[in-house]
Amino acid sequence: MPELPDLQAFSHNLQKTLAGKTVKKIEVPNAKKLNVSAHELDEVLSGQKLEKVYREGKELHIKFGKGDVLGLHLMLHGKLFLFDTRNENKYGIIELHFEDDSGLVLTDFQGIATPTLNPEKKDVPDALDADAEYLKKRLAKTKTNIKTVLLDQKILRGIGNAYADEILWHARISPFSVSSKIPEAKLKDLVQAIRSVLEDAEKSILKSNPDIINGEVRDFMNIHNSKKKHSPTGAAILINEASRKTYYTDEQELFE
């Protein structure tokens, strides 16, 4: 599943390519996840100019001239493709056709990627916006392990399995630590790690794949990387094969 840095990179490139284009029509080959009818979606968005593409948590949002927003949640296997005149990609969920005959399609062979017209705003902070005080208050309420907390989109939006491992290694916190037991000083390390890991990852993705709008680039990762056996400091990378595969080292302090 694309995570925050992937979606940041996608939104950067889609904004660069699509901003200012006017929608000619919207086609919805698979409307089972759409929150309105395909006809209503087309009526609302056709004729509007695309103003902005940006990320919200684990979604991409496309804002149009009249203020309407189309949210796209890629789920596990959703992919975005640009096309000219006609979409030739299989498993289409929604297609945006523009007046210059270019287009954008969201595909998903599982059929569960979700387009939403005017999604509700969420009051959960984005991973890049959360501070140590928020985490201190929020983590005091839960005894689950810290990795589970980082993955909970009702607590913090944008982080997925791979980046949770990277963040916790950089903060030197064991993923199996009881979240309410982590001291305040380490929470400050965690906030710093969240921001630096996610922001640096976006830069790495765009540097190696400057036009990327789909897929996941993970080869630069230090810990959550099946090709690496040791961390940058030389510690052996360990793997926990639970419901989510967790990569970690014994350098990370366990709080329990």
Side-chain angles (χ1 to χ4, degrees), residues 48-118:
Q48 290 201 54
K49 183 177 290 187
L50 190 153
E51 283 194 347
K52 186 178 181 181
V53 183
Y54 57 100
R55 180 193 58 81
E56 277 285 340
K58 284 190 174 182
E59 297 182 358
L60 288 176
H61 282 194
I62 304 174
K63 186 177 181 181
F64 297 88
K66 294 180 181 179
D68 292 294
V69 173
L70 176 64
L72 301 176
H73 197 309
L74 277 57
M75 304 301 286
L76 282 172
H77 299 292
K79 290 187 176 182
L80 294 162
F81 297 95
L82 298 167
F83 62 87
D84 291 319
T85 307
R86 182 178 177 180
N87 171 45
E88 301 290 348
N89 298 283
K90 295 180 179 180
Y91 312 114
I93 301 291
I94 185 171
E95 300 176 10
L96 284 72
H97 294 257
F98 300 101
E99 289 188 348
D100 65 354
D101 289 330
S102 66
L104 174 71
V105 60
L106 169 62
T107 70
D108 183 2
F109 72 87
Q110 288 186 319
I112 59 175
T114 304
T116 304
L117 179 63
N118 294 323

Side-chain angles (χ1 to χ4, degrees), residues 24-248:
K24 179 167 64 175
K25 63 179 179 178
I26 304 289
E27 294 186 353
V28 188
N30 185 341
K32 68 180 183 180
K33 292 288 186 175
L34 186 60
N35 64 328
V36 297
S37 69
H39 175 73
E40 179 180 347
L41 183 68
D42 182 56
E43 279 204 330
V44 169
L45 297 183
S46 287
Q48 290 201 54
K49 183 177 290 187
L50 190 153
E51 283 194 347
K52 186 178 181 181
V53 183
Y54 57 100
R55 180 193 58 81
E56 277 285 340
K58 284 190 174 182
E59 297 182 358
L60 288 176
H61 282 194
I62 304 174
K63 186 177 181 181
F64 297 88
K66 294 180 181 179
D68 292 294
V69 173
L70 176 64
L72 301 176
H73 197 309
L74 277 57
M75 304 301 286
L76 282 172
H77 299 292
K79 290 187 176 182
L80 294 162
F81 297 95
L82 298 167
F83 62 87
D84 291 319
T85 307
R86 182 178 177 180
N87 171 45
E88 301 290 348
N89 298 283
K90 295 180 179 180
Y91 312 114
I93 301 291
I94 185 171
E95 300 176 10
L96 284 72
H97 294 257
F98 300 101
E99 289 188 348
D100 65 354
D101 289 330
S102 66
L104 174 71
V105 60
L106 169 62
T107 70
D108 183 2
F109 72 87
Q110 288 186 319
I112 59 175
T114 304
T116 304
L117 179 63
N118 294 323
E120 294 182 5
K121 292 185 178 180
K122 297 179 174 65
D123 57 7
V124 177
D126 188 82
L128 292 176
D129 297 328
D131 57 21
E133 187 61 29
Y134 169 77
L135 287 180
K136 178 182 176 181
K137 292 179 180 178
R138 191 64 183 80
L139 298 189
K141 302 176 182 179
T142 177
K143 295 182 179 180
T144 55
N145 70 61
I146 186 60
K147 181 173 179 179
T148 298
V149 171
L150 292 182
L151 297 178
D152 189 340
Q153 302 302 299
K154 295 180 180 178
I155 295 177
L156 210 58
R157 293 184 297 137
I159 300 173
N161 190 53
Y163 285 101
D165 289 347
E166 292 290 302
I167 288 164
L168 289 168
W169 180 80
H170 277 268
R172 296 301 193 271
I173 298 172
S174 168
F176 313 110
S177 294
V178 177
S179 54
S180 60
K181 300 293 185 181
I182 299 173
E184 188 171 353
K186 291 302 288 185
L187 290 180
K188 292 180 180 179
D189 292 341
L190 179 59
V191 168
Q192 183 177 353
I194 288 171
R195 292 176 182 168
S196 62
V197 167
L198 297 177
E199 289 174 352
D200 289 348
E202 179 189 356
K203 294 174 185 176
S204 295
I205 292 167
L206 286 171
K207 183 177 180 179
S208 61
N209 297 267
D211 299 315
I212 189 170
I213 61 168
N214 61 53
E216 300 171 8
V217 181
R218 300 283 188 265
D219 55 0
F220 59 87
M221 285 187 157
N222 292 313
I223 299 300
H224 194 100
N225 191 327
S226 62
K227 295 181 180 179
K228 294 184 178 180
K229 302 300 181 183
H230 296 86
S231 77
T233 58
I237 295 175
L238 308 172
I239 302 175
N240 183 289
E241 300 276 1
S243 58
R244 295 185 182 93
K245 186 176 286 190
T246 295
Y247 293 70
Y248 65 104

